[in-house]
Amino acid sequence: MKKLRVLGIETSCDETGIAIYDAEQGLLSHALYSQIELHAAYGGVVPELASRDHVRRIVPLIHQVLHESHTHYQQIDGIAYTAGPGLIGALLVGVAVGRSLAWTWQIPAVAVHHMEGHLLAPMLETPAPSFPFVALLVSGGHTQLIEVTAIGQYKLLGESLDDAAGEAFDKVAKLLGLGYPGGPALARLATQGNSNTYHFPRPMINRPGLDFSFSGLKTFALNTWQNSAQDDQTKADIAKAFEDAVIDTLLIKCRRALQQTQLTTLVIAGGVSANQQLRQRLATLNSEMGITVYYPRPEFCTDNGAMIAYAGYVHLANGESSPLGFRAYPRWALSS
Ligand code: KG4
Ligand code: ZN
């Protein structure tokens, strides 16, 4: 294996993530600064504040991971930075720092697709999944089923036609007054809820195909809340009914994707893959269909630098690198 140590930079949204991945030793160090507190007062990410905060955090975090991994900058052989999709101002911070360091240190740098980072995050675990597999990417911005035959071979099987699963979690949490980002809070509240009080629809399961639609669930939650006693137990019951509906829908489409592709490995990644209930339900695919399911560790489900360092390492090891210009892609399709 060729010597290769990669610095990864993630700044696509509201988390500054930096990591160092080494070809022989694996992940050496990683650090994350979350801007949650900064945006909480506004009920969502304020893009300009996000960009400015990345500027403040990025260099100290790079120093931190170099220090923690006992890496001198001259031992870095390549740089990986998220170039999209995401918030343009936030992305440009990571792109500019990544490209500038690569130029100064005279090493190659590669632009990484944020969702490819999520998709490859389970590769940082032991055992890692092997190709081919079906990937369910469930984040705040995307819900996609992808057939993965090799690195870079990503066939989109289906995706959300409106809100992403994480976005739906966040919006329902907001209308229940759970703050920002609401996904994890809603999942916590759902553990207090009763499954039988409300039944939410499972959108698009009666249509063929592998696309999703989650925006109707948000309206359903709003109507249910407005016509309820609006007490704490109702909140928990709505959280539970909503979570059940999202998870059931994801499970039905995963089953369908696995049957359609005849594959037996499922990888799930992205922020919503941290959801414990989802993980428990997906585990049943093993006894039911002989499917093996792989996840990243919870801290690598949400945005982080480690997944970008790893994805960049894979591309750099393959001899790929990106040109000198600062290019960021707020919208960027992962697959064919
Ligand atoms: O992957 P990620 O950090 O950022 C994007 O690339 O979008 O995903 C963040 C999303 C948010 O919508 C958040 O509410 C959701 O993942 N999320 C969860 C949980 N943890 C994070 N949703 C449901 N249950 C969770 N435990
Ligand atoms: Zn993400």
Side-chain angles (χ1 to χ4, degrees), residues 89-105:
L91 287 167
L92 278 170
V93 177
V95 171
V97 169
R99 290 252 51 111
S100 303
L101 285 178
W103 184 76
T104 312
W105 295 347

Side-chain angles (χ1 to χ4, degrees), residues 212-226:
F212 304 90
S213 164
F214 291 112
S215 70
L217 286 179
K218 169 189 66 195
T219 315
F220 201 91
L222 181 63
N223 291 338
T224 310
W225 174 244
Q226 283 174 341

Side-chain angles (χ1 to χ4, degrees), residues 12-15 114-115 118 138-142 165-170 181-185 187 243 270-276 301-303 307:
S12 68
C13 189
D14 58 349
E15 253 121 18
H114 179 78
M115 296 312 289
H118 276 303
V138 269
S139 71
H142 295 80
E167 188 180 357
F169 263 94
D170 293 340
E243 188 185 56
V272 182
S273 67
N275 186 287
Q276 287 305 320
C301 288
T302 44
D303 292 348
M307 66 184 195

Side-chain angles (χ1 to χ4, degrees), residues 81 95 99 322-327:
Y81 54 89
V95 171
R99 290 252 51 111
S322 305
L324 275 178
F326 290 8
R327 294 288 304 270

